[in-house]
Amino acid sequence: MGEKYGKGHHAVLNKGEENETEIFGYQTEGCRKTLCIAGYVFSCGLLPLVFYWRPAWSVWANCIPCTLREADVILLRTTDEFQIYSRKKVTWISLSSLNGLVSLTPDHPLIADEDYVINRAILRPDLKVRCIQVQKIRYVWNNSEEQFQKVGCLEDGFTAAKIHLKFGSGLTREEQEIRRLICGPNAIDVEITPIWKLFIKEVLNPFYVFQLFSVCLWFSEDYKEYAVAIIIMSIISITLTVYDLREQSIKLHRLVESHNSILVTVCRRKAGIQEIESRYLVPGDLLSLSGNKMQLPCDAVLIEGGCVVNESMLTGESIPVIKTALPKVGDTVPWKLCDQEDYKRHVLFCGTEVIQTKAAVSGTVRAVVLQTGFNTAKGDLVRSILYPKPMNFQLYRDAVRFLLCLIGTATIGMVYTICVYVLSGEPAEDVVKKALDMITIAVPPALPAALTTGIIYAQRRLKKNGIFCISPQRINICGQLNLVCFDKTGTLTKDGLDIWGVVPSDRNGFQEVHSFTSGSALPWSPLCGAMASCHSLIFLDGTIQGDPLDVKMFEATNWEIENSGIDFHVRGVPAQAMIVKPSQAACQIPVGGIAILHQFPFSSALQRMSVIVQELEGDRMAFMKGAPERVVSFCQPDTVPSNFASELQNYTMQGFRVIGLAYKRLEINHHITALSREEVESNLMFLGLLILENRLKEETKPVLEELTSAHIRTAMVTGDNLQTAVTVARKSGMIAESLRVILIEANEAEGSSPASVTWTLLEDRKRCGYRNQDSYINIGEDVSRPRGEEGSYHFAMTGKSYQVISQHFSSLLPKILMNATVFARMSPGQKSSLVEEFQKLDYFVGMCGDGANDCGALKMAHAGISLSEQEASVASPFTSKTPNIECVPHLIKEGRAALVTSFCMFKYMALYSMIQYVGVLLLYWKTNSLSNYQFLFQDLAITTLIGITMSLNGAYPKLVPYRPPGRLVSPPLLLSVLLNVLFSLVMHMLGFILVRKEPWYSATDFFSACSLPKGNISRTTASPMISGKVGPDSFMSYENTTIWFLGTINCIIVALVFSKGKPFRQPIYTNYTFVIVLVIQMGVCIFLLFANIPGLYQRMDLVCTPTLWRVYLVIMLAVNLILSLVVEKVIIENRALWLFIKRSFGFQSKSQYRKWQSVVASDPTWPPLNQTSYSDRLQSASGVSYSNPVFESHEEIP
């Protein structure tokens, strides 16, 4: 489309990002708009309804294509597989509204400065800005670059020095006012959607519009009883949907409402310090942070001082993170690239909590606002909840095709009806009504209500199990899940680690384990000093806060922590230093306390941390803790026990987390700032091993075993470190003890070296040295390749490796994902990306987590299950009140039951429609039909009751190792429907033809067949159907009675045949209500068939037939029942037969993961153990290509 009208007509917003969107420029044309308005009137509102469903048609009808510069309407189209269109009106922001506050002219210095996007967006001399708002983000038209650009964030192109220079003194009032007007308020506003809006949006759903059409038609034909019933069912369905949406809206509003009312202190150039509401902040404002706790209302970069921040909203771990000021260096490169370390250590993210500030020399802590409103980290989370990616589920696409087929069938019936009745000379009004009736017969208006009923029952059963659902349509999708990703901490395991013991060391070897479970305190030694001081804990509000590992380690020593006061004076110890002291509960310790002078913080890349400490009135020392293999590499060899490797192997094999400890004494005369990290971390003495365990929840292992036995794949996606993740995967049974784990390490390109990926076997059963190794994991020497059964190995990798592979080794990614089980150190963005990659391989992905850092993945997954009631529960379709993963198999079972129920209802409603359709068409041949009461009995007394009760079957308690079919157009289902339609057609035609050949048949005398006196039954009908005709056009006829009895009882038979039980639902006999309803319905029908009650027959427009003919009808119905049951049981539900047919015809699965499994199984060189591949070699490699164009994530866990 863009090429047709030139480059200026088309552009791409957010190129390469997840929300990438194409935009097209259009200009409203008066003539077209006038014609459309006329169309609105003459179509009686149908045209605007169509335009509501298809916004692109509205734009094409009202507007003409033009360049984006000239456009007053923008048409947007997503670049994903759904290609969803939406329209946006171009609006203007006038700076003249600021004239009362700021004296602005086109040549004003602030407006003339071309450094900022907002200044390049100002149209001179009018001082106006063109903008559009897409998914809560504002985009302004950049006049110089001829494109729409995002505002509400500071440009990434600024250097660190320029940020200090331009924003280090704050903005002037004029700058602030201009930015506020153009960027909008710093608010994450989520309005509670009014009930009337939700109601109208739901009512305008095509299903309900069709129901409205049907109801109006029925009222015009005096068929008001069923019309009222449909209205009641629709109102109940709409009300429940609106209630769910309203509750979700309220929940999200409450989550973000406190964000917009935070008081902050800003520094104004020329105006000094001011306190304002956070909604008035703009990018470039200078925040002054006090020592009080506060929630960050925006994203900001720290330029002065330091902070300790709780980033649990981003990482899921309530671990204080130290933030440092952005250095002033770097005049040539953007500030995000000037620092060798991750730039995020300078950034304070919106929604995180500042728990402590550390003032600079000037006595202040200051930060420059980077992003505001929905551009922030929290805003992005909320947007992902407000605008989720559409769910691509085959069932719903097939449902549309199913309805189109029914509409096609109805069209044939309409043509047939028109031909028959026109040739019969019927009035035009009657012909139209009867033709329209064919639509309501062939396309059942009760279908949406019937499907909703099944989902409501499933939702109610889930609620009884403590699982709450805010997106009921996702329940069906749960029935197709074949891969479930789990967060680790708080999901598979209990929160945090527990200290199991410590293994002291001396030059002779390891000593006996000191266990803390006995309650005995650790006696004083350098080892005790290391545990008491080598950490990054802080003391705030009377509590110790920090990494759970550090907290557990410190608490095991029975020491206390405090901050020294201003009047504290100890030689070599500065004031305000952190002091740790033995408590009264500790053993007799000769040390009065230890002052922590300096920290070298933990880095996942370095795998260690160190501190410089000083005993009060004593020696100065350095302590180190970290990965045992890394720690011993800094120790004097003679201090490391000879059996170090075997001892370490012993504990890691048992699933313990092992930390190494070491120390050395320092000269007290040296100034600590003069000591480099390299000097401190050398020639250390090994102290011993700290043993910790990450305990599984009791429910974890049985649930994972249940999922595995059901052939549902499981994976771990965690922000924790790799060693712990692999250990937990083994202990939980996610990775069997007999299978091997292959570590995949990928590195970014550096200089002339291309990006690389290395494959290393993690060997847990062989002894190994303590050379420099990865993340506490022992890397074995065995280079043999794990061959044999498919899936006899598992891949493990970190988020950093996943990111590199995604960007540089995209052709390898699908092969890796086939056996990748452990993903550690994954950021929220990487978790979401991983879920999407699995979905691209046609997996149905479930995600179970409990933290805010899981929100994106929970929303992205086909079924997100939150074990928390905080942010994650808002993003997740499902929330479990029970904080363990037992909810996962419950949900899958209910999903499978709901999916099968949906298929049952689709099949039943299709057969019910076709039974009525065939019967009515046969009667139309004789210009007859069913009466209102006959229709009402079938529609209300039979079908509606069946629709309400058929879905009551509960889920089968056992997960079988295969899933129910996920498609309506699958061969078994289509064959089932077609054969039953054929049986019904044959039976109806047989009855229609045979009754006319009976000797007692008469086309005019309806009382000749029975011995009843003719006077007992009136020759006029009551309540004529549709046409309202009487006398010769009466509904009473032998054909009518025969067709009605066959059709009505056949509806009951079909319900019995299609109501599935095992292996996905409870057997039919457990659904007592349904069984009772069927028995009563069948009893009533048989009673009517043999009753011979004149008044009842007259009311129902039935005629009396000989008893033998009634027996013939029962025989025909019995044969139909037997045939249907045999076909359903022997053919349709015969899984072995269909598998045999697939093999015989060489059927190949279309699922991408099946194809890649075949590729992996047939590749003798896979996996490439103990090898390193480089990206330049890989790009030219032959084979199946694979790419993820929407992947864009630069997030890492610091």
Side-chain angles (χ1 to χ4, degrees):
M1 186 189 296
E3 292 77 5
K4 184 177 177 182
Y5 299 103
K7 186 177 179 182
H9 168 66
H10 167 257
V12 178
L13 286 182
N14 310 313
K15 189 166 181 133
E17 298 180 23
E18 186 182 333
N19 58 340
E20 181 179 276
T21 307
E22 290 181 286
I23 58 174
F24 304 89
Y26 285 88
Q27 200 168 55
T28 306
E29 190 181 54
C31 182
R32 288 183 175 225
K33 193 168 183 67
T34 303
L35 288 173
C36 286
I37 292 172
Y40 298 162
V41 176
F42 290 116
S43 67
C44 300
L46 182 61
L47 186 60
L49 189 62
V50 172
F51 284 170
Y52 171 78
W53 293 332
R54 291 286 183 267
W57 294 5
S58 173
V59 174
W60 296 333
N62 285 276
C63 309
I64 57 172
C66 66
T67 63
L68 291 168
R69 169 183 278 280
E70 302 166 327
D72 60 1
V73 172
I74 300 295
L75 182 64
L76 299 94
R77 183 176 67 190
T78 59
T79 56
D80 56 19
E81 62 198 283
F82 302 100
Q83 300 262 300
I84 297 172
Y85 283 96
S86 58
R87 61 170 289 169
K88 295 292 175 184
K89 190 81 175 169
V90 176
T91 56
W92 289 86
I93 301 171
S94 176
L95 271 64
S96 60
S97 60
L98 295 176
N99 277 334
L101 301 170
V102 184
S103 178
L104 293 178
T105 59
D107 57 350
H108 191 284
L110 295 181
I111 295 175
D113 189 347
E114 289 289 325
D115 277 351
Y116 309 115
V117 170
I118 57 175
N119 291 336
R120 293 197 292 270
I122 297 172
L123 192 66
R124 300 171 181 83
D126 300 331
L127 297 182
K128 289 183 177 181
V129 176
R130 296 175 71 235
C131 69
I132 55 173
Q133 187 150 314
V134 182
Q135 294 188 351
K136 302 288 187 181
I137 299 294
R138 183 175 290 181
Y139 299 84
V140 298
W141 179 255
N142 186 326
N143 293 291
S144 59
E145 296 185 18
E146 296 274 314
Q147 63 179 2
F148 280 103
Q149 285 188 298
K150 186 189 299 184
V151 290
C153 48
L154 215 58
E155 289 89 332
D156 288 339
F158 283 127
T159 64
K162 199 166 188 178
I163 287 178
H164 279 274
L165 177 66
K166 280 193 171 287
F167 306 107
S169 302
L171 299 175
T172 63
R173 185 172 67 94
E174 292 88 348
E175 287 176 306
Q176 209 270 348
E177 294 292 345
I178 293 172
R179 285 171 178 265
R180 185 187 302 160
L181 182 64
I182 295 177
C183 298
N186 173 41
I188 302 176
D189 286 321
V190 179
E191 295 180 358
I192 298 176
T193 311
I195 291 176
W196 66 268
K197 275 190 179 180
L198 293 171
F199 181 79
I200 289 175
K201 186 176 180 181
E202 191 66 21
V203 166
L204 293 180
N205 185 298
F207 270 118
Y208 293 116
V209 171
F210 173 68
Q211 283 191 340
L212 181 62
F213 159 77
S214 302
V215 165
C216 291
L217 180 63
W218 292 333
F219 272 119
S220 73
E221 298 168 344
D222 202 30
Y223 188 41
K224 53 184 179 294
E225 294 89 347
Y226 189 57
V228 170
I230 287 292
I231 290 172
I232 292 171
M233 286 191 293
S234 298
I235 288 174
I236 293 172
S237 176
I238 290 170
T239 302
L240 291 170
T241 304
V242 168
Y243 175 78
D244 283 335
L245 293 171
R246 173 80 171 182
E247 285 297 300
Q248 190 175 1
S249 179
I250 291 171
K251 203 172 185 181
L252 188 56
H253 174 78
R254 288 174 179 168
L255 173 69
V256 301
E257 64 178 339
S258 61
H259 166 90
N260 303 321
S261 56
I262 300 172
L263 286 177
V264 295
T265 304
V266 296
C267 302
R268 289 268 186 269
R269 192 179 299 170
K270 303 177 184 176
I273 304 293
Q274 293 181 358
E275 194 171 72
I276 61 172
E277 281 191 26
S278 58
R279 67 182 300 109
Y280 297 119
L281 288 173
V282 297
D285 263 334
L286 185 62
L287 284 176
S288 178
L289 305 176
S290 63
N292 301 326
K293 278 188 176 184
M294 69 173 290
Q295 291 282 336
L296 264 299
C298 60
D299 289 352
V301 58
L302 204 58
I303 63 168
E304 198 172 22
C307 289
V308 180
V309 182
N310 181 352
E311 291 190 342
S312 60
M313 190 205 80
L314 298 177
T315 64
E317 310 286 339
S318 295
I319 301 172
V321 178
I322 297 172
K323 300 288 185 175
T324 58
L326 181 71
K328 294 183 181 180
V329 298
D331 292 325
T332 56
V333 295
W335 68 275
K336 288 185 178 181
L337 304 176
C338 70
D339 200 340
Q340 291 183 349
E341 296 191 41
D342 186 10
Y343 72 89
K344 292 183 180 179
R345 67 192 185 99
H346 310 304
V347 179
L348 309 174
F349 292 101
C350 179
T352 61
E353 183 183 27
V354 176
I355 54 180
Q356 196 176 64
T357 57
K358 297 178 182 178
V361 179
S362 62
T364 59
V365 179
R366 297 184 176 187
V368 174
V369 176
L370 279 179
Q371 299 179 126
T372 57
F374 283 94
N375 293 289
T376 62
K378 186 170 184 177
D380 191 51
L381 164 65
V382 175
R383 282 197 314 115
S384 71
I385 297 170
L386 288 172
Y387 306 103
K389 186 176 179 181
M391 192 52 59
N392 187 9
F393 189 37
Q394 190 67 44
L395 172 64
Y396 300 135
R397 295 203 305 273
D398 288 348
V400 174
R401 293 172 187 160
F402 168 80
L403 289 174
L404 290 175
C405 289
L406 292 182
I407 291 170
T409 306
T411 304
I412 296 171
M414 287 177 67
V415 173
Y416 166 86
T417 302
I418 292 170
C419 293
V420 168
Y421 275 84
V422 167
L423 292 174
S424 301
E426 297 293 323
E429 181 185 352
D430 289 352
V431 174
V432 171
K433 284 184 178 180
K434 287 186 179 295
L436 291 176
D437 264 334
M438 293 311 302
I439 300 177
T440 63
I441 290 171
V443 184
L447 180 60
L451 293 176
T452 302
T453 303
I455 292 172
I456 290 170
Y457 291 149
Q459 194 174 3
R460 191 175 65 181
R461 289 192 295 268
L462 286 172
K463 192 171 182 179
K464 285 183 180 178
N465 284 319
I467 303 169
F468 294 85
C469 175
I470 62 173
S471 181
Q473 298 301 324
R474 299 275 184 127
I475 296 175
N476 276 338
I477 301 177
C478 293
Q480 285 290 292
L481 294 184
N482 54 359
L483 188 154
V484 183
C485 299
F486 293 95
D487 181 35
K488 183 187 70 66
T489 308
T491 302
L492 299 175
T493 65
K494 297 176 180 177
D495 285 315
L497 294 161
D498 292 306
I499 299 288
W500 183 80
V502 64
V503 188
S505 166
D506 59 24
R507 295 177 187 273
N508 298 321
F510 287 104
Q511 301 172 16
E512 289 187 9
V513 177
H514 177 88
S515 174
F516 293 99
T517 55
S518 61
S520 59
L522 183 67
W524 168 251
S525 66
L527 180 61
C528 178
M531 292 177 61
S533 62
C534 193
H535 51 68
S536 56
L537 300 175
I538 61 172
F539 190 67
L540 188 67
D541 297 335
T543 60
I544 299 171
Q545 298 185 15
D547 189 311
L549 185 152
D550 287 348
V551 172
K552 290 286 185 182
M553 180 182 71
F554 181 75
E555 288 176 346
T557 62
N558 284 324
W559 281 43
E560 296 173 344
I561 190 169
E562 64 181 42
N563 292 319
S564 62
I566 300 175
D567 56 349
F568 179 82
H569 298 290
V570 173
R571 180 174 175 267
V573 180
Q576 301 295 334
M578 187 177 292
I579 308 294
V580 291
K581 293 181 178 180
S583 67
Q584 294 180 353
C587 298
Q588 293 296 322
I589 293 178
V591 178
I594 297 175
I596 302 173
L597 307 180
H598 187 71
Q599 293 180 359
F600 297 104
F602 176 80
S603 163
S604 55
L606 299 176
Q607 303 170 27
R608 66 184 187 276
M609 76 161 291
S610 301
V611 293
I612 299 174
V613 303
Q614 182 175 325
E615 296 176 4
L616 300 185
E617 306 297 343
D619 296 335
R620 184 171 290 178
M621 294 179 287
F623 290 113
M624 176 191 284
K625 83 168 190 295
E629 300 91 344
R630 296 293 289 149
V631 170
V632 297
S633 66
F634 294 96
C635 294
Q636 300 171 22
D638 59 339
T639 65
V640 180
S642 58
N643 62 337
F644 166 80
S646 59
E647 190 77 4
L648 177 61
Q649 194 68 35
N650 177 44
Y651 289 111
T652 54
M653 280 181 62
Q654 297 177 59
F656 290 112
R657 171 97 176 262
V658 184
I659 302 295
L661 299 165
Y663 92 113
K664 78 173 181 180
R665 297 188 181 276
L666 301 173
E667 294 291 334
I668 201 167
N669 295 326
H670 287 164
H671 197 277
I672 56 173
T673 56
L675 294 171
S676 66
R677 185 164 190 165
E678 290 73 20
E679 290 178 282
V680 173
E681 296 178 339
S682 62
N683 293 318
L684 302 175
M685 298 179 65
F686 186 68
L687 291 174
L689 301 173
L690 179 66
I691 315 298
L692 306 101
E693 58 179 337
N694 197 189
R695 293 177 185 168
L696 289 173
K697 292 181 178 179
E698 292 79 6
E699 304 82 7
T700 297
K701 194 165 185 177
V703 167
L704 293 181
E705 287 174 351
E706 183 179 10
L707 294 177
T708 302
S709 66
H711 293 181
I712 296 172
R713 186 179 161 191
T714 56
M716 187 188 301
V717 188
T718 177
D720 210 338
N721 71 64
L722 192 59
Q723 181 215 14
T724 306
V726 172
T727 298
V728 168
R730 284 206 182 278
K731 289 173 67 176
S732 65
M734 189 177 286
I735 298 177
E737 291 295 333
S738 60
L739 302 185
R740 304 184 184 187
V741 178
I742 297 171
L743 174 67
I744 299 178
E745 289 182 285
N747 296 299
E748 283 279 10
E750 292 183 6
S752 59
S753 301
S756 63
V757 58
T758 304
W759 321 74
T760 318
L761 184 65
L762 301 186
E763 182 56 71
D764 289 325
R765 290 164 291 183
K766 296 197 173 187
R767 295 182 57 172
C768 60
Y770 52 85
R771 64 191 187 283
N772 186 359
Q773 297 171 347
D774 178 86
S775 299
Y776 315 162
I777 298 179
N778 299 304
I779 298 177
E781 299 297 331
D782 186 359
V783 297
S784 61
R785 187 181 310 281
R787 301 308 308 170
E789 60 174 312
E790 183 184 347
S792 61
Y793 57 90
H794 293 262
F795 290 132
M797 70 182 80
T798 63
K800 177 188 172 184
S801 296
Y802 169 77
Q803 180 174 321
V804 172
I805 291 169
S806 298
Q807 293 174 341
H808 299 286
F809 300 88
S810 57
S811 60
L812 275 181
L813 187 59
K815 292 179 75 174
I816 291 172
L817 292 182
M818 288 300 96
N819 290 86
T821 302
V822 176
F823 299 86
R825 292 295 184 201
M826 296 286 281
S827 72
Q830 289 164 348
K831 288 185 178 184
S832 300
S833 171
L834 176 66
V835 168
E836 186 179 8
E837 291 299 335
F838 277 128
Q839 289 173 335
K840 287 183 176 184
L841 293 171
D842 296 328
Y843 279 109
F844 282 87
V845 185
M847 174 71 196
C848 184
D850 68 334
N853 63 318
D854 299 316
C855 285
L858 290 170
K859 199 70 179 177
M860 178 69 71
H862 289 102
I865 311 153
S866 167
L867 305 184
S868 162
E869 294 185 47
Q870 304 305 317
E871 290 97 336
S873 68
V874 181
S876 175
F878 303 96
T879 301
S880 173
K881 292 288 185 183
T882 307
N884 61 59
I885 64 171
E886 279 184 326
C887 58
V888 175
H890 278 312
L891 186 58
I892 295 174
K893 291 170 191 172
E894 286 296 346
R896 290 181 172 185
L899 186 58
V900 171
T901 298
S902 294
F903 286 135
C904 291
M905 288 308 305
F906 265 114
K907 288 169 66 177
Y908 176 73
M909 297 305 282
L911 259 297
Y912 147 68
S913 298
M914 289 299 101
I915 288 168
Q916 250 188 20
Y917 178 81
V918 167
V920 170
L921 287 185
L922 287 171
L923 292 175
Y924 276 4
W925 184 254
K926 300 298 292 180
T927 62
N928 198 352
S929 184
L930 299 177
S931 72
N932 277 6
Y933 282 111
Q934 288 174 336
F935 271 118
L936 188 65
F937 190 87
Q938 285 186 351
D939 292 339
L940 200 58
I942 303 295
T943 303
T944 301
L945 288 178
I946 287 173
I948 292 172
T949 57
M950 183 189 271
S951 306
L952 285 170
N953 292 50
Y956 196 66
K958 186 179 186 308
L959 276 177
V960 293
Y962 53 91
R963 299 171 295 161
R967 301 193 60 178
L968 270 175
V969 293
S970 61
L973 194 143
L974 285 177
L975 184 63
S976 173
V977 171
L978 292 175
L979 286 177
N980 279 279
V981 168
L982 180 63
F983 296 156
S984 298
L985 178 63
V986 170
M987 183 177 66
H988 278 75
M989 292 188 69
L990 200 62
F992 186 80
I993 294 169
L994 291 180
V995 73
R996 294 166 61 84
K997 294 185 177 181
E998 290 295 321
W1000 42 262
Y1001 173 81
S1002 171
T1004 56
D1005 186 357
F1006 304 140
F1007 309 102
S1008 61
C1010 287
S1011 58
L1012 292 173
K1014 295 183 181 180
N1016 288 350
I1017 299 181
S1018 170
R1019 290 181 178 272
T1020 60
T1021 63
S1023 185
M1025 162 66 179
I1026 301 175
S1027 65
K1029 295 177 182 174
V1030 295
D1033 296 317
S1034 165
F1035 294 112
M1036 281 189 174
S1037 72
Y1038 292 115
E1039 294 96 339
N1040 171 287
T1041 300
T1042 299
I1043 292 295
W1044 186 80
F1045 274 119
L1046 288 176
T1048 303
I1049 297 176
N1050 197 21
C1051 285
I1052 301 172
I1053 289 172
V1054 166
L1056 178 66
V1057 171
F1058 285 167
S1059 185
K1060 306 289 185 186
K1062 296 192 301 183
F1064 303 113
R1065 300 204 309 166
Q1066 295 276 18
I1068 186 174
Y1069 57 79
T1070 62
N1071 187 350
Y1072 307 116
T1073 308
F1074 179 62
V1075 172
I1076 291 171
V1077 165
L1078 288 186
V1079 169
I1080 292 174
Q1081 288 175 337
M1082 186 62 77
V1084 170
C1085 289
I1086 297 298
F1087 172 76
L1088 282 174
L1089 182 61
F1090 290 97
N1092 288 345
I1093 301 175
L1096 183 60
Y1097 269 40
Q1098 178 182 349
R1099 191 72 174 168
M1100 293 295 296
D1101 292 295
L1102 299 172
V1103 296
C1104 182
T1105 57
T1107 304
L1108 185 60
W1109 177 247
R1110 305 180 203 190
V1111 172
Y1112 286 160
L1113 294 183
V1114 172
I1115 292 172
M1116 281 191 279
L1117 288 164
V1119 171
N1120 184 42
L1121 171 63
I1122 293 168
L1123 277 174
S1124 297
L1125 284 174
V1126 169
V1127 166
E1128 205 70 19
K1129 300 295 181 185
V1130 176
I1131 299 176
I1132 306 302
E1133 296 180 11
N1134 190 336
R1135 179 175 164 79
L1137 173 64
W1138 287 104
L1139 290 175
F1140 172 76
I1141 292 172
K1142 284 182 178 182
R1143 286 194 297 268
S1144 300
F1145 285 91
F1147 173 80
Q1148 297 293 326
S1149 173
K1150 293 181 180 179
S1151 297
Q1152 288 293 320
Y1153 71 89
R1154 293 286 190 195
K1155 295 177 182 178
W1156 282 104
Q1157 282 173 347
S1158 300
V1159 170
V1160 168
S1162 60
D1163 187 352
T1165 64
W1166 187 265
L1169 283 179
N1170 291 340
Q1171 296 180 26
T1172 300
S1173 303
Y1174 296 95
S1175 58
D1176 56 343
R1177 296 179 193 172
L1178 210 64
Q1179 298 308 316
S1180 60
S1182 60
V1184 186
S1185 63
Y1186 177 89
S1187 64
N1188 176 10
V1190 300
F1191 179 80
E1192 179 69 21
S1193 175
H1194 300 291
E1195 300 185 48
E1196 290 182 31
I1197 296 291

